[in-house]
Amino acid sequence: MADSASHAQPASTDGQTRRDFLLYATTAVGVVGTGLALWPFVHSMNPAADTLALSTTDVDFSAVQVGQAITVVWRGKPVFIRHRTPEEIAQARKDDSADLRDPQKDADRVKKPEWLVLIGVCTHLGCVPLGQKPSDPKGEFGGWFCPCHGSQYDTSGRIRKGPAPLNLEVPPYAFTSDTTIRIG
Amino acid sequence: MSAYKTNNKMVGWIEERLPIFSMLQHSAVEYPTPKNLNYWWNFGSLAGFMLVVMILTGVFLAMNYTPHTTMAFNSVERIMRDVNYGWLLRYLHMNGASMFFVLVYTHMFRGLYYGSYKAPRELLWWVGVVIFLAMMATAFMGYVLPWGQMSFWGATVITNLFSAFPVVGQYIVTWLWGGFSVDNPTLNRFFSLHYLLPFVIFALVFIHLWALHTVKSNNPLGIDVKSPQDTIPFHPYFTIKDLFGIGVFMMVYLAFVFYAPNFFGEPDNYIPANPMVTPPHIVPEWYFLPFYAILRAVPNKLGGVLMMFGAIVVLLFLPWLDTSKVRSGRFRPIFKQAFLLFIIDCVVLGYVGSQPPADTITLIGRIATAYYFFHFLILLPLLGKIEKPKPLPASISAPVLRGGGMAAGATAKPMEKA
Amino acid sequence: MQKLIRNVLAAALVAGAAPAALANEGGPELMKPGFSFDGVFGRYDPAALKRGFQVFHEICSNCHSLSLVAYRNLAAIGLTEDEIKAVAAEREIQAGPNDEGQMFNRPGRPSDHYIPPFPNEKAAAVANGGAAPPDLSLMAKARHGGPNYIYSLMLGFEDTPPDGVHIPDGKFYNKFFPGNAISMPPPIQDDAVTYADGTKATKAQIAHDVATFLNWAAEPELDARKSLGLKVLGFLAVLTALFYALKRQIWKNVH
C-alpha cells in the first residue's frame, strides 16, 4: 500500500534510522561504483600503448647545409631542425637581452649552437609557422612567421611579436652521433 | 496527472517552460504499479539498462574501430591490446550482446506466460516485437564488424537469404552488398547502420514505455487493477527492486566478461576474414539458432526464408491467436503445459540450429518447426475455446477472498515473495 | 520402386556415416595438461612465459609470424629493455622511402610488431610446400580448446599413421589435427632448445611452455582481466547486498 510505509514511521524510529543508514550507505557505494565504472571509458581516450611507443624519431641531418632547415615528424607534429648561420647565432645571443615576452637564453634552447631543434607548432593556436623554406616569409626577426594570426619568432624560436604567449617549444632530443639526433 | 509542486525556484522556472519534472514525477515516481509484480518483471528494466551499456561501450569502441576490410580485424585487436581498458570495453560489448538477448528473451517469455500481449496491450506488444527485430538486425551487423571468418561468412549467408525472392532477389542482394560480394562497401554500411540502429531502438523503447504507461503494467494474476489498494508507487518500491535486479544481473554478466569472455563466441572469428575459404562449420550466434533451424528445416530456399520471417511475424498476430479470456497462465492448466512444451521446442530448435545438417537433425528440426507454428496457429486458438480456466481472484489485494481462488493464491505465494 | 529403395539405402548410409563424420571433425579428445592461468585465480607463470618465448623465437618464428605482438610487449613477460632491443634488431624491416625515393631495410625497433619470417603470404606458401604457416598471434583463441589444442598438436605427431589412414607425400600424420594430414613437420623433440633457466627441455615441457606463451600472445590482458574481475565482483557483491537489504526495508510493509 502506498501509505503503509508512512504509517510505520512513528511506530519505529529505530527502523527509520536503519532505513536512513541503509539508504545513505547504498547511495554512497553506488555513486562510488558508478564513478569507478566511468574511468575505463575516460581512460580509453588517453593515448594507447602503441601511440606511446612511437614517441621517438631518429633523424639524419648530414645533408642539411648551413642556413637550411628540415622538417621531420615527431608524435604527429612537425619538428623544425635549422642549421643556423653564424649571423643567426650571433643575433639570437644578442637578443638574449632584448625585451622578451617569454625570457629564455639562446644557450638554454640549444645543445649545439648551430643546430636549433623546435616543435613547429605556434604556441598561439597550433598552426605551423612559415620560415623553413628559403622562399618563406621569416618575419621581422628572421626566424618564423605564423600565417594564421601573425606571430613572429626570432632565430632562437622565441616569440617577439603577435598573439602567441610562449616561445616555440624545444622537444626532448639528444645527439646520437655527429649527424643524427633522436627526438623524444 | 497530479499537479507538480516545488519550492525550488529554478525547478519551478524550468517546469513552467518544459514540464519535465512533472513528467518524471508522473511516470517514474508516482506511476502506480501493481504491487504483486514478481521478479520476472525485472527483465524489462534490465533490458533497458543493457541497452544503455551497449550504446555507451559501443560509442567508445567506435572511437578506435576502423571500418575497412584491410584494417577492421587489426583495429579490433588494437583495441584488445593497446587501447587503455580496450579489452574491457570490447568484452563488455561482445558479451553484452548475448546478455541483452538473454534478458529480452526472458522478458518475452514472461509476456507470453502472463498474457501481457492481450487487450489492451496489443500495441505495447507490437512495439516490443519491432524492438526485437531491430535488435536482431543490430546484432547481426555488429557481428560482422570484427571482420573475422564468422563475421564474413555470417554476412554472406544471411544477406543471401534475400536472393530467395523471385526476380528481384539477386538485385536486392547486390544492393545490400554494394558490390558483387560481401566486401568493403558492405562493411562500411553495416558499421553505419550498426551505429544508427541502437538509437532507433532507444526511441522505440520510449514508445514502448509510453504505451506501457498508458495501459499500465500487467501483473502475475493477469487481472485488472481495481482500486488504489492494488498498486504502489513506482518509487521507491520498484526503483530499489530494479536496482537490486541490476546488481544480481551485473554479477552474472561480469563473471562472463572477466572469466569466460569468449564463452558465447566462435573461435573461427579470431581468424581474419578470408573470402576464398569457408569455415567447415558455420553457425550464427546462439540467439539466432532457433530461427536458423527453422530456415534449414524447409527444403525450399524461398520457403525457408518465409518460414523464418514468419516465425517472428506470427508474434504480431498473437493477441488475436490466443482466444482465451484469461491473461495469466497461472489460471490456465492446459496452457501451462503447452507453454512448457513451447519452451522445450525453442530449446530443441536452438540445438538443431547449432548442429551440422544431418538427416536426423533435419528431421528433428522439421518436427520442432512444425510444432512452433502449431503452437501459435492451432493450439493457442483452440485452447481458448476448450480450456476451462481456474477461477480468478476478485482483486490483486485479495487473491484468496473467494473459495475457488484458494489454490491459485497458494501457488502464487512463492512467486510473489519479494 | 527401385529408385525408392536406392534412396532409402542412401539415406541409411548417410545417417550411419553422419555420426562418424562428426566424430572425425571433433577428433580425439585433446590432452589437458593444466596451465597456471586456468581458472579464476589462475595467472601466467612468468618463467614459463619466458621459456615459451624462447621456444617460439628459436623454433616457431622461423616459419610463423606473430604479427599482432609488438617487441615492446615482451616487457610484460620479463624481458629487459636491452633484451627487447636486441631481439627486435635481429630482423630487418623495410622502411622508407628515403630522400632519394628508395625503400631501404632497417633493423627492427621495440615499437615494431614481430617481424614475419617471410615478406608476404605467397612467399611463405612457396617456401613451405604450398601451405603458408598461419600467424600464431591468436592461435590460442582461434581453435577449439585453445592452449590445450596447441599442446596436443605439438605432441600429436606419429611416425606411422594408423592402418587405413593415408597421408599424402609432404604431409605428416597428427592425430589432433583436423583431417590428420598436417603440412607442418614435427617441430619439436626433446632438447630442441636449451633453456636459460636450466629447466629440462623435454618434448612435453617445450609443448607446455610454447602453449603458455601463445596463450599470452593471444590474451596478454588475462592477468589484468582476472585481477580486476575479483575486485569488481567483490564490490558488486557488497553493492547488491546493500540493494537487497534496502529493498527488504522499503518493502517491509507491503502485503
Side-chain angles (χ1 to χ4, degrees):
Chain A
M1 262 157 47
D3 51 354
S4 56
S6 55
H7 281 312
Q9 268 174 21
S12 132
T13 36
D14 252 19
Q16 188 60 26
T17 321
R18 183 169 139 79
R19 180 168 158 178
D20 281 351
F21 170 75
L22 263 178
L23 182 63
Y24 296 142
T26 311
T27 310
V29 175
V31 167
V32 169
T34 311
L36 290 174
L38 289 179
W39 173 243
F41 292 87
V42 175
H43 193 38
S44 77
M45 293 173 72
N46 276 323
D50 60 334
T51 310
L52 293 173
L54 290 175
S55 52
T56 61
T57 302
D58 288 300
V59 184
D60 177 356
F61 53 80
S62 52
V64 184
Q65 303 298 319
V66 174
Q68 287 186 334
I70 55 167
T71 306
V72 297
V73 182
W74 175 66
R75 287 185 172 178
K77 290 185 286 199
V79 168
F80 296 160
I81 302 176
R82 190 149 172 181
H83 197 167
R84 297 194 294 184
T85 61
E87 298 80 50
E88 284 174 331
I89 298 170
Q91 183 65 40
R93 287 183 178 159
K94 203 174 122 228
D95 285 351
D96 281 353
S97 53
D99 180 23
L100 297 172
R101 185 174 300 166
D102 180 13
Q104 237 181 341
K105 293 211 178 318
D106 182 61
D108 297 336
R109 293 176 56 77
V110 291
K111 293 198 168 144
K112 293 182 180 175
E114 58 271 36
W115 295 103
L116 179 63
V117 182
L118 299 169
I119 296 178
V121 175
C122 181
T123 57
H124 180 221
L125 290 171
C127 297
V128 178
L130 298 172
Q132 287 293 91
K133 279 185 269 178
S135 56
D136 280 352
K138 291 188 167 63
E140 292 170 28
F141 302 90
W144 287 268
F145 171 76
C146 182
C148 289
H149 307 96
S151 291
Q152 305 195 19
Y153 298 89
D154 65 13
T155 53
S156 189
R158 290 173 295 204
I159 180 65
R160 301 297 292 271
K161 196 176 178 184
L166 298 171
N167 301 334
L168 289 178
E169 195 185 335
V170 178
Y173 69 94
F175 286 88
T176 42
S177 75
D178 285 347
T179 57
T180 56
I181 62 167
R182 168 167 295 172
I183 305 169
Chain B
M1 192 181 288
S2 60
Y4 181 76
K5 292 187 196 71
T6 176
N7 293 323
N8 186 317
K9 280 222 175 85
M10 182 126 84
V11 171
W13 188 90
I14 295 171
E15 176 66 24
E16 275 174 32
R17 287 153 181 84
L18 181 75
I20 188 165
F21 293 102
S22 55
M23 193 193 88
L24 277 175
Q25 171 83 8
H26 175 66
S27 56
V29 178
E30 286 170 358
Y31 175 66
T33 313
K35 63 184 188 180
N36 62 334
L37 297 190
N38 57 36
Y39 274 107
W40 296 114
W41 261 261
N42 273 50
F43 285 83
S45 72
L46 280 173
F49 170 77
M50 199 62 236
L51 175 63
V52 174
V53 172
M54 291 305 278
I55 289 180
L56 207 59
T57 50
V59 165
F60 280 81
L61 284 172
M63 293 180 190
N64 285 299
Y65 170 75
T66 312
H68 189 281
T69 51
T70 57
M71 289 180 269
F73 189 88
N74 281 358
S75 76
V76 171
E77 279 303 317
R78 181 177 168 272
I79 290 172
M80 294 296 293
R81 292 155 190 270
D82 288 331
V83 174
N84 305 310
Y85 288 110
W87 58 267
L88 179 60
L89 296 179
R90 196 228 167 184
Y91 279 155
L92 280 172
H93 200 72
M94 196 174 125
N95 287 280
S98 278
M99 288 297 145
F100 202 0
F101 275 95
V102 168
L103 297 173
V104 166
Y105 277 135
T106 312
H107 186 61
M108 289 169 76
F109 277 112
R110 189 271 287 159
L112 288 174
Y113 184 72
Y114 292 109
S116 300
Y117 46 83
K118 291 190 193 182
R121 298 188 179 82
E122 302 95 325
L123 278 183
L124 177 60
W125 175 256
W126 273 27
V127 177
V129 173
V130 176
I131 291 174
F132 177 53
L133 280 170
M135 269 180 71
M136 294 208 292
T138 311
F140 160 64
M141 288 190 278
Y143 194 60
V144 176
L145 302 186
W147 210 242
Q149 274 289 66
M150 282 295 168
S151 300
F152 181 87
W153 291 101
T156 300
V157 169
I158 301 299
T159 47
N160 260 318
L161 290 179
F162 293 91
S163 70
F165 293 108
V167 188
V168 291
Q170 200 51 50
Y171 294 101
I172 293 177
V173 175
T174 307
W175 176 77
L176 283 174
W177 288 342
F180 303 102
S181 63
V182 173
D183 207 336
N184 200 49
T186 326
L187 179 60
N188 267 283
R189 62 190 60 185
F190 277 20
F191 178 57
S192 168
L193 294 172
H194 181 72
Y195 204 117
L196 167 73
L197 279 179
F199 298 95
V200 173
I201 294 176
F202 204 80
L204 287 167
V205 167
F206 259 90
I207 299 175
H208 197 58
L209 282 173
W210 185 12
L212 173 73
H213 285 228
T214 306
V215 297
K216 303 284 186 287
S217 304
N218 185 24
N219 67 80
L221 296 174
I223 55 177
D224 289 329
V225 167
K226 301 240 165 60
S227 72
Q229 305 278 305
D230 292 346
T231 65
I232 44 179
F234 190 83
H235 179 76
Y237 295 100
F238 287 98
T239 35
I240 186 61
K241 196 176 174 184
D242 282 347
L243 281 173
F244 171 56
I246 286 175
V248 173
F249 163 72
M250 282 292 278
M251 288 204 279
V252 176
Y253 170 31
L254 294 182
F256 278 107
V257 167
F258 286 114
Y259 296 105
N262 292 301
F263 178 82
F264 296 105
E266 272 295 316
D268 274 304
N269 223 27
Y270 283 109
I271 303 171
N274 181 353
M276 298 298 122
V277 182
T278 310
H281 181 201
I282 69 164
V283 281
E285 288 281 85
W286 69 267
Y287 37 82
F288 292 137
L289 288 174
F291 300 104
Y292 191 57
I294 293 176
L295 169 78
R296 292 196 312 192
V298 186
N300 175 291
K301 188 172 170 183
L302 179 60
V305 173
L306 290 179
M307 285 284 264
M308 191 179 70
F309 287 123
I312 296 162
V313 171
V314 74
L315 293 174
L316 293 174
F317 294 95
L318 184 57
W320 298 276
L321 288 170
D322 184 353
T323 51
S324 175
K325 297 273 183 290
V326 176
R327 284 201 196 101
S328 174
R330 198 177 279 179
F331 302 105
R332 302 182 58 191
I334 309 177
F335 171 84
K336 251 186 209 172
Q337 310 297 321
F339 183 76
L340 189 67
L341 280 178
F342 177 69
I343 290 181
I344 293 170
D345 188 56
C346 290
V347 173
V348 168
L349 280 172
Y351 171 76
V352 168
S354 74
Q355 294 303 303
D359 276 12
T360 32
I361 285 293
T362 307
L363 182 68
I364 298 171
R366 283 183 186 160
I367 296 169
T369 301
Y371 186 80
Y372 182 95
F373 287 99
F374 170 78
H375 176 85
F376 284 113
L377 297 177
I378 297 169
L379 195 57
L380 284 185
L382 221 59
L383 266 188
K385 309 274 185 227
I386 59 172
E387 185 181 47
K388 187 178 175 302
K390 291 184 199 162
L392 297 178
S395 77
I396 292 171
S397 298
V400 287
L401 278 190
R402 290 198 323 191
M406 212 49 147
T411 52
K413 265 279 154 53
M415 299 280 289
E416 274 166 7
K417 190 165 168 282
Chain C
M1 191 62 194
Q2 214 175 11
K3 200 175 161 192
L4 181 78
I5 293 169
R6 207 172 57 215
N7 281 349
V8 169
L9 274 178
L13 264 176
V14 170
L22 279 179
N24 197 20
E25 187 189 87
E29 203 179 328
L30 297 175
M31 293 189 259
K32 293 193 177 79
F35 289 96
S36 65
F37 50 87
D38 289 339
V40 171
F41 298 100
R43 301 288 185 272
Y44 287 126
D45 169 7
L49 282 178
K50 233 173 159 174
R51 288 195 302 268
F53 169 68
Q54 191 186 343
V55 176
F56 173 81
H57 192 65
E58 290 178 15
I59 300 173
C60 318
S61 75
N62 291 319
C63 301
H64 291 276
S65 56
L66 193 71
S67 62
L68 296 172
V69 175
Y71 291 110
R72 63 186 157 82
N73 296 140
L74 297 171
I77 66 168
L79 269 71
T80 64
E81 200 177 324
D82 288 336
E83 285 171 329
I84 291 171
K85 278 183 185 158
V87 170
E90 281 176 24
R91 282 184 183 165
E92 293 205 320
I93 189 168
Q94 195 181 49
N98 61 15
D99 294 343
E100 282 80 46
Q102 304 298 314
M103 302 304 278
F104 58 92
N105 285 344
R106 63 159 175 81
R109 295 180 192 144
S111 60
D112 288 326
H113 282 215
Y114 212 100
I115 300 167
F118 301 102
N120 55 57
E121 204 182 311
K122 283 272 188 316
V126 166
N128 288 282
D135 186 86
L136 296 184
S137 318
L138 283 167
M139 202 44 84
K141 273 166 129 180
R143 296 289 182 276
H144 285 282
N148 289 329
Y149 172 78
I150 295 169
Y151 178 83
S152 303
L153 191 81
M154 288 298 101
L155 301 179
F157 287 93
E158 274 162 29
D159 291 339
T160 41
D163 288 344
V165 178
H166 174 69
I167 299 296
D169 279 350
K171 303 258 180 189
F172 303 87
Y173 177 80
N174 189 309
K175 65 177 167 181
F176 296 107
F177 188 72
N180 295 131
I182 189 169
S183 303
M184 172 171 69
I188 54 169
Q189 322 83 36
D190 287 338
D191 298 316
V193 291
T194 309
Y195 281 131
D197 65 1
T199 305
K200 189 160 166 35
T202 62
K203 207 166 147 182
Q205 179 71 42
I206 294 173
H208 196 268
D209 289 340
V210 82
T212 303
F213 173 74
L214 288 180
N215 201 82
W216 171 82
E219 298 191 295
E221 88 297 345
L222 181 141
D223 280 356
R225 167 158 58 79
K226 290 187 175 178
S227 305
L228 182 61
L230 282 180
K231 291 176 201 143
V232 170
L233 289 176
F235 181 91
L236 268 177
V238 172
L239 182 61
T240 307
L242 281 170
F243 279 148
Y244 183 66
L246 188 58
K247 197 236 155 213
R248 290 272 302 236
Q249 275 292 312
I250 290 174
W251 279 73
K252 199 166 56 180
N253 297 311
V254 179
H255 300 291

